[in-house]
Structure formats: structure tokens, C-alpha cells
Amino acid sequence: MKRTVRLSDVAAAAGVSLGTASNTFNRPGLVRPEVRALVEATARRLGYSGPDPIGRLLMGAKAHAIGVLPPGDMPVAHAVGSPFFREFMLGVAEVCDENDASLLVISGAENRKTWAITNALVDGFILGHLEEAALVAARQRKTPFVVMDVEAGPEVNSVRVDGRGGARRAAEHLLDLGHRRFAIFSVLRKPAGAIWNPPTTSERRLTGGFPLDHEKLLGYADALALAGISVNDAPVVEAHPLSPWVDDGARMLLDRSPETTAILAMSDRHAVAVLAEAKRRSINIPKELSVIGFDDAENAIFADPPLTTIAQPTTEKGRIATRILFEAGLPRQVVLPAKLVLRASTAPPRSPNIGSHGV
Amino acid sequence: MKRTVRLSDVAAAAGVSLGTASNTFNRPGLVRPEVRALVEATARRLGYSGPDPIGRLLMGAKAHAIGVLPPGDMPVAHAVGSPFFREFMLGVAEVCDENDASLLVISGAENRKTWAITNALVDGFILGHLEEAALVAARQRKTPFVVMDVEAGPEVNSVRVDGRGGARRAAEHLLDLGHRRFAIFSVLRKPAGAIWNPPTTSERRLTGGFPLDHEKLLGYADALALAGISVNDAPVVEAHPLSPWVDDGARMLLDRSPETTAILAMSDRHAVAVLAEAKRRSINIPKELSVIGFDDAENAIFADPPLTTIAQPTTEKGRIATRILFEAGLPRQVVLPAKLVLRASTAPPRSPNIGSHGV
DNA sequence: CTGAAAGCGCTTACAG
DNA sequence: CTGAAAGCGCTTACAG
């Protein structure tokens, strides 16, 4: 097996210059038909399959690919398997198709992330991430990028949902139904045991969430405050969205705050875990306990009971982010609205506590 | 904005040779600590973010990515959206994760396919395709590849399910239940109107299917022949798996072969379309009509009624194909078994026709 | 441990 | 229309 044949080999064998050989493949109009035929025949004879994409790349060609780095240290398999992330990728994929680009799903695994960001062979990438390290690596590269669900300043493209507004709507809905005793089910970024944050009088912060989750907490606080309730009176459980962690979190929630009548979950995944645990305990949802989710992912409507939730335009987020990459204009920060979707997992509390405050 | 800074700029500014600068980044152990520190400081000062991956590529570095080209001219968005293909990608993704590689989803759109095959920046790729053109393009490239669901000779890596055996099992199951009047619902590769192939005495071939579908037809024929029935006596409808084509096909099937008691569908998608159309017509499945699918894709178990089908190890196919790429040994041809999964869409025919042959 | 040089495979002005 | 040359950004022997 000899060395792979290059354009220069073809040019030499055909007796033309490298430039002419290159033109035969890239601007055939510039080459005299006889010469072109000669070069092509020689290429065929030598088994040359056309210019190597890598040589081309070096001269500034496009990679014709967009990279997507999933949030939360997801490896590629999780990214492909996650219903929520898939909806997002669907939007990315649509715009890739419009622009004749492929879609590179990059591993978010901790040890690979930074390497991938600096080395992925793409024309632009989308970061489902917020970490400083990732952001720094991305800025180093000349390749355009956009970060999802984080505001990263006026220099950085970002697309995010209005988490605060959406969360406010969720809490308002429950307040309107008459609920006064809430618990919050939040997101832990790392796969680790669920965390219990009891009610407190001092200001409380989430331990391990995404920035978007902190926004949601603010949104809950906004709505509760209007009803004279402090968000600090509600216990907060934080759990990683994958089994078994999220299930542990649901158990913890139900175990430790039996007086709660309504649960504010920061993702549908978390809400569905509560639904499942409630069913195990024969707690009727929504009669005995109301649960509201966030995202309106594919599975929300198929939940039992169908999940009332805050819908965010997940696919549209993917489309917008990808368009920003292809349009390559000035940095943009896009905020998308979230809206309440009424289904069957919320109802008035069994014994209305209207007028009574606190937990 | 000045030209992007290169390694040679850093070397010059630091007063060292290009080689030493390169070593600082790639084999730091070879560089004296003071010099290394100097180069690193200079790099930082100049805003140099480390060696450009493209220059590296040219020197033989890996792309750290595996490409997947979906079957049937699917654009990227369809590939991401298809439950069946997703299961396959899950297997690919798992092995990519094990090997620190990303997953490139390439558009199978007709006009892009060949270009993508010759230009995708990957270390290996998987072709859900059989076309000569694609195969030729793939062979030209030095990059390893494997084709799915086609036997392409001893020189080409291939992974496929035993379509013939699986189809045989499907038909046997229905024969065992007492069915004698069959219709076949097959796959059309291009999105176009459904095709009706009436029973015939001469040998009949599928018009527009994949090679695997031809194998399935042979499998049906094997089993039917053993029961004294010619596959040519069964009408064949061919339809593209997407709506509305597949729905048209289901309608056509039910309209034109009312005497059929059992339908052999070559994919779950096709089987589910029959289920839906039957429900619309208030035809009870399985009492009045039996339907068996193929694949056991995610949705088969959730069908109404749950679909009896032939399961193929879709995710495992993805794993195996990807491992072949990373192992880079001699060409391999792998055939995987398919097995019957009994659920609720098949039953004995209403008025058994045991002993009566033909349609 | 460090430097000078060749080379990876190609494209693009620039002359002619 | 064609050729000679420079350059894309880097790595890798090879001397020293």
C-alpha cells in the first residue's frame, strides 16, 4: 500500500502545474476542456478522489458543521437520549439543513469539554453551558458561538428563556388556585445525592443549580411576595435530573414536607418524578397535591396525570441560536417568553388555606 | 482586528524556534521550565489560544469524531427526530463516549450526501445507505466506514440484521395462528405516492425498497411456501415511512384487500399506520385483522393495541458498527438475529381458513 | 534541551 | 488559459 495520492501527484503525472490541477477540480471553467479531461483521466487512473478536505480547510474553507455542547456534563449518549435536549437539537438541525451543514454532538463530559471546545472542527458552536472555563475557552477561539440560558454580557451571543417570568407565572397559577403552602424542587448540576434546604428566615441561595434555576427562584419569590409569602418559608430540594437522584429528591420532598399542598418543580423531569412517587404512595394528584413543571418537554403531556407546566419554546431556541451562528452579525442577546400550559396536575388545595400564610 | 496569531508569531516574540514553541504545547516535558514559562507567557500576552486544530489535522491528528449518514435521504432534522434512528444513534453515541469522540450527524439529503461523504471531518463514518454512488464515494476516501443493513462484499465493513430470518418468523407466527390470507406492507425509499402491487402469478419484485426489504420479502416467501402458499398471491403495498405517504398506503391496503386477515408490515411505522387507519374504520385489531411489525422501535409497545413485532437490536447495531470503526481491523460483516415479540396486535383469524390457500 | 528545515495537501494571487 | 511561488498553521525527525 503506497502513500495516499495527492493533487501534486496527479499534476505531475498529467504534466500540468499544481495550480491547473487544482482548478480542474475547483473552477473547471478556467481549464481548457482537453486539459481538464487529461487531468481527470489521470486522477482516475491514480485513484485520486478529489482534493483532501483538510488541505482545503487550512486555506479557509468551512467545516460545514455546527457543534452542540449539551448542558450539565452530559456525554454524547445522554444528549442523544434526553427528550428535552432532543427537542432543542431538532431546531438546531432544521437550520443546519437550511445551510447545508452537519450537526456535531460534542461530549459535555467534564474531562473532554474544554478540549472539545478548542478543537471541534466546526464553523460555530452552541454551548448549553455557563461555566467560566468553557466560556473562556470559547472566547479564545475565533469561531462564533452562542451560550444558552445564560446572559454572558453584551459581547457574547446568548439565547435564553425568561425563567423569572415563567416561574412567576407558575407560582401565580398555584396562588390563584388557593395554595399557600409550597415546596420547591430544583436542579442539581452534578450527579450527587439530593439536597434538602429547610425553610429559613435568612436569604437562601441554591447550592448547585444553573443560573437559569436561580432566575426561576427569583420568579417564584416575586409571585409569592405579592401574596405576602416569603420564598424562604418554602423548603427547597435540589436533585440531579437523572434517576435515581431525581427519584431520591422526590421522596425527600414528600417525606419531609407533608404539609405542602403545591410543588413548584423547575423541570418537567423533576415534576414527573414527584408524580411517580406520589402514585407509589397513593397520593392523589391533583386533589391532594398540586404539581407544576417547567419546559413542557415531550413527556409532559403523556404524564399521569398530564402535567400542568410552563412551556418554553425549546425547538425555537435551537433555531434562533443556530441562525445567529450562520448570520454572523453583531452579538445578540435573545430572551424568549415562557407561558403557562394548563393540564391536569394542579387543582385547588383540599382544605383551602386562603388567608393563612406561611408553611 | 489583526490577523489571527499563530504559533510562529509566538515563537518569534518569545525568541525561540517554532519547534520549541510547538513542544511547549505538545510535549512540555521536553522544554526547559524557564523557556516553557516564557513561551506560555508570550502566548498569553499575544492572545494565542493554543495550536490550531486544522494545522494539526494536516499532520495526521484525529478529528475525534464519527460521522453518521442516515438512511433514506433523511436530512439532519429527520435523523434527530426519528425514534428508530435515535435508538441506533444511542448505540453509536455510547461507543463514541468510550473513545472520547464526538458524533457528527450528516445530512442524507440527496444533493449533499456525496459531498458530505468525501468531505466530512471525521475519523470514520457509518452509512445507513446502500446506493452505489455513496459506496463509491466512501471507498475513495481513506477513512474507514461501515454500511448498515447491506452486505457489500468482503472488503466492506457491514452490520445488518437477519431480515430474512426475522420476516420468516413473522409469517410463521401468523400461519401458526391460522392465517392464510396475507397482505404485505413494504417500504418505499423516496417520498412519493404509495404503490399497489396486486397478486401476480409471475415473480414479483419490490419497486423501491432497501435491500433489507427485499430480504424480508424472501423471508415471508420462505415461510408461506412451507404452508403451501405463494408470496405472489399476497398483494404488496409500498409506502414511504413518513406521513402522509404511509397513511395513504395503509388506506390503500385496507381498501383494496378487504379479504386479508393478516398484514405483514416491514416496519413498525408501517404497522402503526395500519393500526391507526383500522381504528378510524372501527376494524378491531386483532379480532378482525392481525398486524405484525418489524424493528420493535420505541413506539411499538405504546401502540394501540401494543404491537406484535420482530425485534431487531437497533442500539446494539450502532454499538457494533462504531466499535468496528475504532478497532480498525480487517473488514468484518456482522449479521444480528431478529426475534419475535408477542404483544396484542395478532390473534387467530375470525373465521379460520385453515386448509384454504391463496387470496 | 533547542534550532533549522522539510513537509502535511491544498488554494490563490500574480505573471505571462 | 497556464505555471511558478508563496502561504495556510502546524509537527516531526534530524542535527547539535
Side-chain angles (χ1 to χ4, degrees):
Chain A
M1 210 156 172
K2 0 173 345 200
R3 267 179 61 302
T4 169
V5 19
R6 314 162 267 178
L7 186 56
S8 59
D9 300 324
V10 175
V16 301
S17 80
L18 228 194
T20 299
S22 174
N23 284 336
T24 302
F25 289 97
N26 299 306
R27 310 132 129 202
L30 291 190
V31 181
R32 208 163 11 123
E34 307 94 273
V35 178
R36 197 198 313 162
L38 171 63
V39 174
E40 281 164 352
T42 310
R44 220 168 303 126
R45 179 161 58 77
L46 265 46
Y48 180 72
S49 51
D52 182 319
I54 297 172
R56 225 171 215 168
L57 259 196
L58 203 46
M59 296 307 294
K62 299 244 164 233
H64 289 278
I66 293 296
V68 182
L69 190 74
D73 299 341
M74 281 195 217
V76 180
H78 283 187
V80 171
S82 154
F84 179 72
F85 194 64
R86 187 190 314 139
E87 276 185 54
F88 174 71
M89 285 205 291
L90 213 52
V92 177
E94 280 177 22
V95 180
C96 281
D97 280 324
E98 289 168 13
N99 290 276
D100 287 340
S102 298
L103 173 54
L104 185 71
V105 186
I106 300 171
S107 173
E110 205 140 13
N111 54 327
R112 298 286 303 155
K113 205 168 8 188
T114 310
W115 190 93
I117 291 177
T118 45
N119 291 286
L121 300 165
V122 296
D123 302 322
F125 48 99
I126 298 174
L127 298 175
H129 255 288
L130 66 161
E131 288 169 42
E132 258 319 297
L135 205 57
V136 168
R139 300 187 90 130
Q140 294 269 21
R141 239 183 124 163
K142 53 269 152 210
T143 314
F145 69 100
V146 14
V147 306
M148 304 306 299
D149 291 329
V150 193
E151 156 66 68
E155 308 261 289
V156 174
N157 290 307
S158 61
V159 177
R160 58 198 184 90
V161 68
D162 176 14
R164 184 167 187 164
R168 194 184 302 131
R169 230 147 292 151
E172 281 167 359
H173 166 61
L174 260 11
L175 286 164
D176 288 348
L177 288 171
H179 291 276
R180 291 298 179 273
R181 296 176 172 181
F182 299 94
I184 294 170
F185 199 7
S186 178
V187 183
L188 212 50
R189 209 188 305 165
K190 311 276 171 188
I195 297 176
W196 167 257
N197 300 289
T200 166
T201 50
S202 64
E203 187 176 323
R204 189 183 41 234
R205 324 189 44 130
L206 262 26
T207 311
F210 294 94
L212 187 58
D213 298 316
H214 286 90
E215 277 190 47
K216 288 175 189 165
L217 193 59
L218 292 177
Y220 296 147
D222 292 345
L224 296 188
L226 249 43
I229 303 176
S230 164
V231 74
N232 292 332
D233 291 342
V236 176
V237 169
E238 299 175 86
H240 187 269
L242 251 37
S243 284
W245 297 285
V246 70
D247 309 311
D248 286 348
R251 247 186 316 269
M252 187 181 271
L253 205 48
L254 262 27
D255 281 344
R256 306 205 191 173
S257 67
E259 68 293 336
T260 292
T261 66
I263 292 179
L264 293 154
M266 291 197 187
S267 90
D268 287 352
R269 186 75 187 74
H270 287 68
V272 165
V274 173
L275 260 33
E277 181 60 24
K279 173 171 274 180
R280 243 169 262 131
R281 302 178 180 207
S282 303
I283 298 177
N284 183 300
I285 307 241
K287 281 190 196 151
E288 298 175 70
L289 181 67
S290 284
V291 179
I292 187 166
F294 204 112
D295 290 344
D296 197 20
E298 203 178 281
N299 50 337
I301 197 169
F302 297 118
D304 179 24
L307 191 68
T308 293
T309 190
I310 300 295
Q312 65 160 309
T314 305
T315 304
E316 182 64 11
K317 275 163 74 179
R319 282 190 206 102
I320 292 176
T322 314
R323 276 195 207 111
I324 288 176
L325 255 20
F326 282 114
E327 283 162 10
L330 292 174
R332 291 173 52 192
Q333 291 79 40
V334 180
V335 178
L336 267 17
K339 61 173 203 286
L340 177 65
V341 176
L342 288 173
R343 285 201 274 255
S345 65
T346 53
R350 187 168 238 168
S351 40
N353 285 311
I354 311 233
S356 113
H357 291 175
V359 176
Chain B
M1 208 155 177
K2 1 173 348 204
R3 264 178 66 299
T4 167
V5 19
R6 313 163 268 177
L7 187 56
S8 58
D9 300 326
V10 175
V16 301
S17 79
L18 228 194
T20 298
S22 174
N23 284 337
T24 301
F25 289 98
N26 297 307
R27 310 135 130 199
L30 291 190
V31 181
R32 205 163 12 124
E34 309 94 273
V35 178
R36 198 198 310 160
L38 171 62
V39 174
E40 281 165 351
T42 311
R44 220 167 304 126
R45 180 161 58 76
L46 265 46
Y48 181 71
S49 50
D52 183 321
I54 297 172
R56 222 169 219 173
L57 258 195
L58 203 46
M59 296 307 294
K62 299 244 164 234
H64 288 278
I66 293 295
V68 181
L69 190 74
D73 298 342
M74 282 194 214
V76 180
H78 283 188
V80 171
S82 154
F84 179 73
F85 194 65
R86 188 189 316 140
E87 276 186 54
F88 174 72
M89 285 204 291
L90 214 51
V92 178
E94 280 177 22
V95 181
C96 282
D97 281 323
E98 289 167 13
N99 289 276
D100 286 340
S102 299
L103 173 54
L104 185 71
V105 186
I106 302 170
S107 173
E110 205 138 15
N111 53 326
R112 298 286 305 157
K113 206 170 3 190
T114 309
W115 190 93
I117 291 177
T118 45
N119 292 286
L121 300 166
V122 295
D123 302 321
F125 48 98
I126 298 174
L127 298 175
H129 256 289
L130 65 162
E131 287 169 43
E132 258 319 297
L135 206 56
V136 168
R139 299 186 91 128
Q140 294 269 21
R141 239 183 124 162
K142 54 271 152 209
T143 314
F145 68 100
V146 14
V147 306
M148 303 305 299
D149 291 329
V150 193
E151 156 65 66
E155 309 261 286
V156 174
N157 289 308
S158 61
V159 177
R160 60 198 182 89
V161 68
D162 176 15
R164 186 167 184 163
R168 194 183 303 130
R169 229 146 293 152
E172 280 167 359
H173 166 62
L174 260 11
L175 286 163
D176 288 349
L177 288 172
H179 290 277
R180 290 301 180 270
R181 298 178 169 176
F182 299 94
I184 294 169
F185 198 9
S186 176
V187 183
L188 212 51
R189 208 186 308 165
K190 310 275 171 190
I195 297 176
W196 168 257
N197 300 288
T200 164
T201 50
S202 65
E203 186 177 326
R204 189 187 40 236
R205 324 189 43 127
L206 261 25
T207 312
F210 294 94
L212 187 59
D213 299 316
H214 287 90
E215 275 190 47
K216 288 176 189 165
L217 193 60
L218 293 176
Y220 296 148
D222 292 345
L224 296 188
L226 248 44
I229 303 176
S230 164
V231 74
N232 292 331
D233 291 342
V236 177
V237 169
E238 298 175 87
H240 186 270
L242 252 37
S243 284
W245 296 286
V246 69
D247 309 310
D248 286 349
R251 251 189 309 274
M252 187 181 269
L253 204 51
L254 262 26
D255 281 344
R256 304 205 193 174
S257 68
E259 69 293 335
T260 291
T261 67
I263 292 179
L264 294 154
M266 291 195 187
S267 89
D268 287 352
R269 186 75 187 76
H270 286 69
V272 166
V274 173
L275 259 33
E277 182 61 23
K279 173 170 274 183
R280 242 168 262 130
R281 300 177 182 209
S282 303
I283 297 176
N284 183 300
I285 307 243
K287 284 191 193 151
E288 298 176 70
L289 181 67
S290 284
V291 179
I292 188 167
F294 204 111
D295 291 343
D296 196 21
E298 203 179 284
N299 49 336
I301 197 169
F302 297 117
D304 179 24
L307 191 67
T308 293
T309 191
I310 300 296
Q312 65 161 309
T314 306
T315 303
E316 183 63 12
K317 276 164 73 179
R319 281 189 208 104
I320 292 177
T322 314
R323 275 193 209 114
I324 289 176
L325 255 19
F326 282 114
E327 282 161 12
L330 293 174
R332 291 173 51 191
Q333 292 79 41
V334 179
V335 178
L336 267 16
K339 62 173 203 285
L340 177 64
V341 175
L342 288 174
R343 284 200 274 257
S345 66
T346 54
R350 185 167 240 167
S351 37
N353 285 308
I354 313 233
S356 112
H357 291 175
V359 175

